[in-house]
Amino acid sequence: MIVSRHTSRSLDSDEPDTATPTPPRPTVPTRRPGEGELTQGQHRLDPALRLSVQRPAPGVVVVSMNGDIDLAAAPRVTELIRQRLTAATLRALIVDLSMISFIDTTGGELLLQAQRRAQQRGIDMHVVPGQGCVRRLLDLTGIDASLNCHDSVSTALAHARHQ
């Protein structure tokens, strides 16, 4: 005789089964209070990395990024920065990371490599980390001491024009 978990009725009886088993409940990841909620002025960003390049002044390039910088995005970012650093007339490169929603140590290493390349070519590199995850990564790892960090693109532009 086989007994079901959901009922004490045996499976080989002739009685119709009237008890319907309850489906298992999916596990829901727990969240801390306020996690995932947006405060005023924040935007939910697509994790795909978006890149844009602007030339606000002769010899100055601003590379803005929006999304995630991780191991998957590193080759794209590295190639874009390498291309900008090999430009013949470039005096200053500004990397705007203020809209980055996630960065890991790959992104930190990428910034250090870009800084070394810029120094080798005599180009000033300025970084705008913003107030979020990029700022935290740079502070925690001490990378900010090796970079020219600024609070905004306009501040970085002012420094780039005076050098």
Side-chain angles (χ1 to χ4, degrees):
M1 175 197 297
I2 300 174
V3 178
S4 170
R5 286 185 177 161
H6 300 290
T7 179
S8 60
R9 181 182 75 77
S10 68
L11 292 178
D12 58 347
S13 75
D14 293 334
E15 298 175 20
D17 187 13
T18 57
T20 57
T22 57
R25 294 179 59 181
T27 57
V28 178
T30 57
R31 250 184 3 194
R32 285 173 261 166
E35 185 178 82
E37 297 173 7
L38 299 176
T39 60
Q40 184 175 2
Q42 288 183 322
H43 304 282
R44 189 171 304 279
L45 300 173
D46 183 5
L49 184 65
R50 292 186 188 96
L51 307 165
S52 69
V53 177
Q54 299 171 343
R55 292 170 183 81
V60 178
V61 172
V62 177
V63 176
S64 299
M65 300 178 206
N66 182 335
D68 295 352
I69 298 178
D70 56 10
L71 188 59
R76 270 181 67 201
V77 175
T78 301
E79 181 61 20
L80 176 72
I81 291 175
R82 187 194 63 74
Q83 288 174 356
R84 296 304 164 250
L85 289 174
T86 57
T89 60
L90 189 64
R91 290 184 299 109
L93 172 68
I94 299 170
V95 182
D96 180 10
L97 304 173
S98 60
M99 294 299 291
I100 292 296
S101 56
F102 174 81
I103 188 169
D104 63 7
T105 55
T106 306
E109 178 63 25
L110 184 145
L111 289 171
L112 289 174
Q113 289 174 358
Q115 177 67 29
R116 280 187 291 252
R117 284 190 189 123
Q119 286 175 341
Q120 289 170 351
R121 296 194 48 87
I123 298 169
D124 293 324
M125 185 173 126
H126 304 272
V127 178
V128 181
Q131 297 301 317
C133 60
V134 177
R135 173 73 69 183
R136 281 192 305 276
L137 175 75
L138 297 181
D139 288 344
L140 288 172
T141 58
I143 294 173
D144 58 342
S146 301
L147 302 173
N148 295 323
C149 293
H150 302 280
D151 292 331
S152 68
V153 173
S154 59
T155 307
L157 276 171
H159 279 38
R161 287 183 180 141
H162 291 302
Q163 292 179 348

